[in-house]
Amino acid sequence: MKSLIIYCSDYRNNTEKIARVFAEETGSELINIKDAGDVDIDKYKLIGFGSGVYKENLSPKLFNLVEKFNLKDKKVFVFSTSGVGITFYNNKLIKLLVSKGAKIIGSFACKGSFMAREFSNNKLFDIIGRFSQGHPNDKDIKKAERFIIRVKETSDL
Ligand SMILES: Cc1cc2nc3c(=O)[nH]c(=O)nc-3n(C[C@H](O)[C@H](O)[C@H](O)COP(=O)(O)O)c2cc1C
């Protein structure tokens, strides 16, 4: 069964680190969203969509791409890295994927480092930024490995 990972990781390649773990463990093709313009989605039965979180949302580029797809009966999963590292941010994309006919088989998130002062004066962001330093770390990678093993089991890879 052919599988694909598409990711957007424009800030610090944090999400790309996780995408590489998923691609390696599943033998998937790995595509940066920058190169995903003419991807033939029909070739794949399992697709992972990943992004960093930018101003409380996954990248709009990912939403625009997914809008173009017919995902009927495709198994999909969503992953993100963010300062806080919660799967909550994945939910909007999951909703869109469901509306495109996809079957959701997983949602993953972990922290990804950022420096708040590069884009905000918000004190809370500054604190979250400090806690995010060094992520994704070895523990996050292990968590990603455990996640993708479950995905593989669910998808008959
Ligand atoms: C412009 C910008 C906005 C961000 N907004 C949020 C946010 O709303 N919530 C959050 O938890 N992290 C936020 N972050 C932190 C990123 O989600 C985190 O660094 C992520 O790992 C970036 O992924 P990437 O390196 O793959 O692009 C933001 C980072 C940037 C650069």
Side-chain angles (χ1 to χ4, degrees):
M1 179 169 102
K2 276 199 144 198
S3 54
L4 171 71
I5 313 281
I6 302 177
Y7 68 94
C8 175
S9 191
D10 288 345
Y11 178 49
R12 285 188 171 184
N13 298 332
N14 290 331
T15 313
E16 183 178 301
K17 286 185 191 121
I18 302 298
R20 288 194 179 282
V21 172
F22 292 161
E24 211 160 286
E25 291 285 331
T26 51
S28 298
E29 283 176 44
L30 182 64
I31 301 188
N32 189 316
I33 190 119
K34 292 176 187 154
D35 309 314
D38 55 1
V39 64
D40 178 8
I41 209 78
D42 291 339
K43 286 201 313 204
Y44 307 97
K45 286 209 167 124
L46 172 70
I47 308 149
F49 295 95
S51 173
V53 171
Y54 316 104
K55 305 207 166 150
E56 306 202 7
N57 269 305
L58 306 191
S59 169
K61 290 184 220 168
L62 206 49
F63 284 86
N64 291 340
L65 187 73
V66 168
E67 279 289 0
K68 295 185 202 152
F69 294 152
N70 174 5
L71 296 169
K72 191 160 164 36
D73 299 330
K74 305 275 188 206
K75 288 180 175 164
V76 304
F77 62 94
V78 175
F79 60 101
S80 64
T81 68
S82 62
V84 290
I86 52 172
T87 55
F88 170 80
Y89 289 125
N90 300 351
N91 291 347
K92 217 165 127 185
L93 184 64
I94 287 174
K95 226 172 149 184
L96 176 61
L97 290 164
V98 168
S99 78
K100 293 276 164 184
K103 188 163 186 278
I104 312 297
I105 60 168
S107 177
F108 174 88
C110 71
K111 282 186 190 154
S113 66
F114 75 104
M115 197 64 84
R117 79 175 96 89
E118 286 176 8
F119 59 91
S120 160
N121 291 323
N122 186 321
K123 277 256 180 316
L124 181 62
F125 261 134
D126 197 41
I127 294 164
I128 295 168
R130 267 183 258 159
F131 279 106
S132 75
Q133 296 312 300
H135 290 273
N137 60 18
D138 289 351
K139 249 181 146 174
D140 299 318
I141 300 295
K142 284 265 170 317
K143 191 173 110 174
E145 285 168 353
R146 284 196 301 274
F147 169 83
I148 202 66
I149 285 167
R150 279 200 311 276
V151 163
K152 268 163 75 173
E153 284 165 2
T154 323
S155 61
D156 310 320
L157 260 190

